[in-house]
Amino acid sequence: MLDLLGNSRGNVVEAVTNFYEHETEFHKQALASTSVSCTFQARAENKPALPFESQSVKSMHNNEDVSCSQSYTLSGSGKSKKSGISPGKRKRNLDSKATKRKQTNPSQSSGGSKQYTITRFFGKQMPVVSEDGKVGTAFNQCIDDQSRFANDATEPYKEEVDQFIQIVNAGEQLRSYAATILEKAKGDINMALDIYYSDYTDSGNYLLLPPERYSPIEHACWRKGQPAPYIHIARTFDLVEDEKGKLKATSMLCNMFRSLLALSPEDVLPAVYLCTNKIAPDHENMELNIGASIVVAALEEACGTNRSKISNLYNSLGDLGDVAQLCRQTQSLLAPPPVLTIQGVYSVLRKDKWTTDIRDINLTIVQFVGTQRPNTESSPAKNYHQKQQPTAAQTTTTAATHTTQVTNLDTATTDPDPGSGSTIRKKSLIMNLMRSCREKEMKFIVRTLVRNLRIGAMMRTVLPALAQAIVINSADTVAECLKDHLQRLSGAVVEAYNVLPNLDLLIPSLMEKGIEFSSSTLSMVPGIPIKPMLAKITNGASQVLKLFNNKAFTCEYKYDGQRAQIHRLPDGSIRVFSRNGDETTSRFPDIINIIKESCFHGVVTFILDAEVVAIDRKNGLKLMSFQELSSRERGSKDSLIAVDKIKVDICLFIFDIMLANGEKLLDLPLRQRRKYLKNLFDDGKPGYLEYAREMTVEAEDADANNEATLNKMNNFLDDAFRSSCEGLMVKSLDVNAGYTPSKRSDAWLKVKKDYVEGLSDSLDLVPIGAWHGNGRKAGWYSPFLMACYNPDTEEFQSVCRVMSGFSDVFYTEMKELFSGDKIPFQKTTILSNC
DNA sequence: CCAGGGTGCCCC
DNA sequence: TTTCGGC
DNA sequence: GCCGAAAGGGCACCCTGG
């Protein structure tokens, strides 16, 4: 067993290599006996396991035929969805990525590929393969580190008491109290500060109170007129994380918002952004461009820890926020930290703050974060551009240099800033945030920065909580209608968000209207993508017929491409949005042309739903795989890709319309919406703009016992497969057939090969390695690295990683099985890039 | 100065 | 996109 | 039944080192 004890995220890998000798035993035990069906995606270069041309492969050493993905009785195309690649694509990948590692055996046949030593994996550095390692060593090690880490520091507390008094800016009268809490904190000055602040603000767990007993003003930890402190949110997050349960979470978030509404309404919008882990409306394509590595670098410096300690902690905790929280407790604080405010934290997230003149950043920090900054030093400190500006004036006291957030504005403006880019600035900003953290703020700041809040609260929790806060805070609400109001407004806000997913517009409108707000207050706006409607999975035609009994429905091809929501704005411009609501117009200049050419004159605005598919126009308009499509250039925020450089042509398959010439069509049944669609585009243009191929089944034929209908559907499904489609989308035409944004309703169903029994693919693979899991899977191995046996070289060659389809019990068992040093080491080979 | 590596984010 | 698990 | 979390593959960016 080659165990790659590393981390795919942190880029800090502690490798232990082992090889499990009896791979078949393990295989049988671990996988076969539990008959786990797992999803996997093979990587392009790993030919031997996945013969692209042949339809089956002699597998392992028992020479069993393994069904391989690409060819079915229907297909004959050689298309390989699961193995993920067509021959042409594979070649490109080899050319572009494996330049250093030449292919020694160019044979296309199965089992004939070059073996590579992996040096990087997904752009991450691969763990070093060491022959003496033992599985579990790294894990145990980091557990040890962690306990040592948590347990040191037991000194007499006099110094700490002095420090503490200095930090909180108090006099000698506080000494005995300080000694008490330092005793409680075992001398940990930060913990003591936490206790102190917690008592001082006296807002402990008020958020846990039921809404009728929570007093938004008295129970808040700040006063009217002050900016709301970030700790208000951080405490809420911490409680929400501990107190699992959606209702409780909503209640706490509701209390949290009530204080904001009562004391500093201007902080509500940034608070909603922070709670939902967003920085801007999706379609603005604002990116943080901060990942674990930058955060780790900042953490190293801000807390004086080193990378390997962080790495070990991360491997065991599986969450960078938790790691940071732990590191923070060893951070020495010599001066009172500035108070983090909600606005301050949020403004740091906005990209315009990263990229614009650095003075703006500093002003923001000073203005919002530095509100409690001691005014003792007026000279500039050294945090920014320290390396570039060694001559920058230093503050006189060590305390000030250590913690001050003030930045040398003059330095920043005159600095030509050679060779150092945004990374340094980001790191500085993050460090400033980190140094100001109290209590659990660190954990949530870091989680926000790595865009992984993990508190189980998203739009569907946060927005209702805000709605309820508004209802409860309106004084004139009569108790008996309270419940109705709560429910109504919660629903209205979520509904409004789904058609206008823009918090910048929604929140102000909601706060202005209060309980008068309804979902019709705001409507769709061309240029802002609505949340697309989603489909449920079914396992075949007969299940579909049961669900659509006596209801007319349509079967459409489910094209293997990417979803596109296309808007025409009143000014005539065309915009394209992805499934997630990001604007992808720059990737598809050809779509703009196609749309402009195809739609009738007189059409003003519309919003339509379509699938973009790669197409080979030279080869009879043959549709190509998603992989081909994704190899197109991406373009960027400001620059469209050049039309004449497009290598992969696309065809647009339109299938729905939500808005036509200002008319909202969501509530119309699909059958009628289709008429609107026809009115815009007539018949389309083959290979450029087509309607999704469709077959209608009328109500009288929709009967689970109707053999003819069943056959018709199955034939149509086969047709779809033959046309390189993934399967079918089945949609209600008349009954309950409105367009429900963001909903995964029974009105839309999907039928795919994967779900239909007997049509799914299988491969016989052996686990040869694993990573430490993240988050929920921390402490387990996840994902596993899978390999197949190559009889020619008598080695195991990696194929793919697997990560889903396993139950928690399975993970626990695997952890047990591969703990300690049970597994003997043996040499193996991993293919490039896997 | 440019290529490659590191990194982040977007699609399915 | 998939899966599992918690309410 | 709903919803959130965790995961994979590929391209474009920025930074850095030869």
Side-chain angles (χ1 to χ4, degrees), chain A residues 10-298:
Chain A
N11 188 27
V12 274
V13 280
E14 198 67 33
V16 176
T17 306
N18 269 293
F19 184 75
Y20 187 61
E21 214 169 18
H22 313 292
E23 71 293 332
T24 46
E25 259 77 30
F26 173 56
H27 184 223
K28 282 171 191 158
Q29 275 177 38
L31 296 175
S33 66
T34 49
S35 62
V36 170
S37 103
C38 53
T39 55
F40 71 92
Q41 290 174 327
R43 305 197 61 106
E45 288 82 356
N46 298 309
K47 283 190 294 183
L50 303 168
F52 297 101
E53 283 74 33
S54 67
Q55 297 186 15
S56 67
V57 60
K58 296 287 177 188
S59 151
M60 306 303 158
H61 18 288
N62 47 13
N63 280 348
E64 281 175 359
D65 268 9
V66 177
S67 67
C68 212
S69 60
Q70 52 273 53
S71 269
Y72 299 90
T73 46
L74 319 169
S75 164
S77 66
K79 166 189 142 92
S80 166
K81 172 78 169 84
K82 281 281 190 175
S83 57
I85 209 76
S86 69
K89 167 75 175 182
R90 179 174 71 231
K91 185 168 184 303
R92 260 207 308 287
N93 273 350
L94 283 173
D95 288 348
S96 63
K97 295 195 92 171
T99 47
K100 277 189 186 165
R101 314 162 192 134
K102 295 207 187 76
Q103 197 178 6
T104 53
N105 185 351
S107 157
Q108 293 283 316
S109 64
S110 63
S113 101
K114 159 79 174 165
Q115 295 160 27
Y116 303 112
T117 302
I118 296 190
T119 54
R120 53 187 283 275
F121 189 163
F122 239 93
K124 320 289 184 205
Q125 198 67 33
M126 277 298 283
V128 180
V129 174
S130 71
E131 303 216 348
D132 50 24
K134 298 268 195 280
V135 170
T137 309
F139 187 80
N140 294 334
Q141 168 108 34
C142 62
I143 294 290
D144 290 349
D145 279 5
Q146 189 191 340
S147 41
R148 240 182 295 131
F149 200 16
N151 284 339
D152 54 20
T154 39
E155 307 246 351
Y157 304 136
K158 183 174 180 316
E159 274 178 39
E160 283 82 358
V161 171
D162 288 342
Q163 258 183 27
F164 182 91
I165 289 173
Q166 193 192 334
I167 289 172
V168 299
N169 230 349
E172 282 297 309
Q173 74 276 12
L174 204 74
R175 177 164 289 277
S176 68
Y177 178 61
T180 318
I181 50 181
L182 272 161
E183 186 76 32
K184 221 190 286 181
K186 297 200 175 78
D188 184 321
I189 197 134
N190 278 290
M191 205 183 290
L193 281 169
D194 285 353
I195 296 169
Y196 173 75
Y197 279 120
S198 179
D199 288 356
Y200 176 69
T201 54
D202 201 26
S203 65
N205 290 349
Y206 287 130
L207 289 161
L208 281 168
L209 291 172
E212 65 271 18
R213 285 176 51 205
Y214 181 82
S215 165
I217 294 173
E218 281 87 52
H219 292 163
C221 57
W222 79 104
R223 295 290 162 254
K224 201 171 175 70
Q226 295 179 331
Y230 180 71
I231 204 164
H232 181 56
I233 286 190
R235 283 177 179 160
T236 313
F237 287 172
D238 200 39
L239 292 171
V240 168
E241 194 187 20
D242 288 347
E243 296 274 331
K244 297 184 285 267
K246 202 177 156 183
L247 285 177
K248 279 184 186 163
T250 312
S251 152
M252 287 182 264
L253 287 164
C254 173
N255 288 341
M256 186 272 287
F257 279 124
R258 285 172 64 202
S259 290
L260 288 178
L261 286 164
L263 295 172
S264 45
E266 67 279 4
D267 289 327
V268 170
L269 179 58
V272 174
Y273 272 115
L274 289 172
C275 290
T276 53
N277 214 12
K278 288 180 178 296
I279 46 179
D282 295 324
H283 60 276
E284 289 181 16
N285 288 9
M286 189 171 289
E287 293 158 2
L288 207 47
N289 281 312
I290 289 174
S293 58
I294 295 175
V295 173
V296 167

Side-chain angles (χ1 to χ4, degrees), chain A residues 389-584:
Chain A
Q389 296 293 324
T391 57
Q394 301 285 318
T395 47
T396 47
T397 66
T398 47
T401 48
H402 200 83
T403 60
T404 181
Q405 312 298 311
V406 183
T407 308
N408 183 348
L409 302 185
D410 296 333
T411 302
T413 45
T414 53
D415 185 3
D417 201 20
S420 81
S422 52
T423 309
I424 301 280
R425 289 200 295 275
K426 287 173 188 170
K427 196 175 134 190
S428 301
L429 278 168
I430 294 169
M431 279 163 53
N432 284 344
L433 288 178
M434 286 174 167
R435 286 174 175 152
S436 305
C437 284
R438 290 184 281 148
E439 297 179 19
K440 297 294 180 65
E441 284 179 340
M442 181 69 117
K443 175 159 75 173
F444 296 105
I445 293 262
V446 166
R447 287 190 185 180
T448 296
L449 288 172
V450 297
R451 332 269 339 109
N452 192 4
L453 205 49
R454 295 186 58 227
I455 56 165
M458 291 298 283
M459 283 306 170
R460 281 188 174 77
T461 317
V462 175
L463 289 181
L466 176 59
Q468 293 178 19
I470 286 173
V471 171
I472 295 172
N473 270 20
S474 2
D476 53 343
T477 327
V478 188
E480 59 192 65
C481 358
L482 187 68
K483 206 177 163 192
D484 290 344
H485 276 297
L486 289 176
Q487 214 152 40
R488 191 192 55 78
L489 201 63
S490 295
V493 173
V494 173
E495 207 178 313
Y497 182 77
N498 286 336
V499 291
L500 194 77
N502 185 329
L503 293 173
D504 294 342
L505 301 177
L506 176 69
I507 301 299
S509 168
L510 173 63
M511 287 170 64
E512 188 202 336
K513 298 270 178 191
I515 54 171
E516 304 296 317
F517 183 90
S518 83
S519 57
S520 58
T521 305
L522 295 168
S523 188
M524 283 186 260
V525 176
I528 297 180
I530 76 170
K531 294 279 175 186
M533 185 165 170
L534 305 169
K536 279 187 181 168
I537 292 173
T538 53
N539 62 16
S542 49
Q543 193 189 348
V544 167
L545 276 179
K546 272 180 208 151
L547 287 164
F548 280 110
N549 196 24
N550 288 323
K551 285 180 263 181
F553 64 88
T554 176
C555 302
E556 291 173 350
Y557 280 8
K558 184 178 191 307
Y559 294 91
D560 183 18
Q562 83 178 64
R563 190 98 175 247
Q565 192 177 101
I566 301 169
H567 291 222
R568 188 182 192 278
L569 277 57
D571 66 1
S573 63
I574 306 291
R575 293 205 186 167
V576 185
F577 299 94
S578 75
R579 197 200 108 118
N580 298 328
D582 293 303
E583 180 160 4
T584 49

Side-chain angles (χ1 to χ4, degrees), chain A residues 802-832:
Chain A
V802 291
M803 74 301 187
S804 67
F806 304 124
S807 66
D808 289 4
V809 172
F810 176 87
Y811 283 115
T812 313
E813 285 170 10
M814 289 305 103
K815 181 67 201 171
E816 180 69 19
L817 188 59
F818 293 114
S819 59
D821 48 2
K822 293 175 192 165
I823 301 145
F825 170 79
Q826 192 176 317
K827 183 172 173 287
T828 190
T829 303
I830 304 174
L831 290 171
S832 88

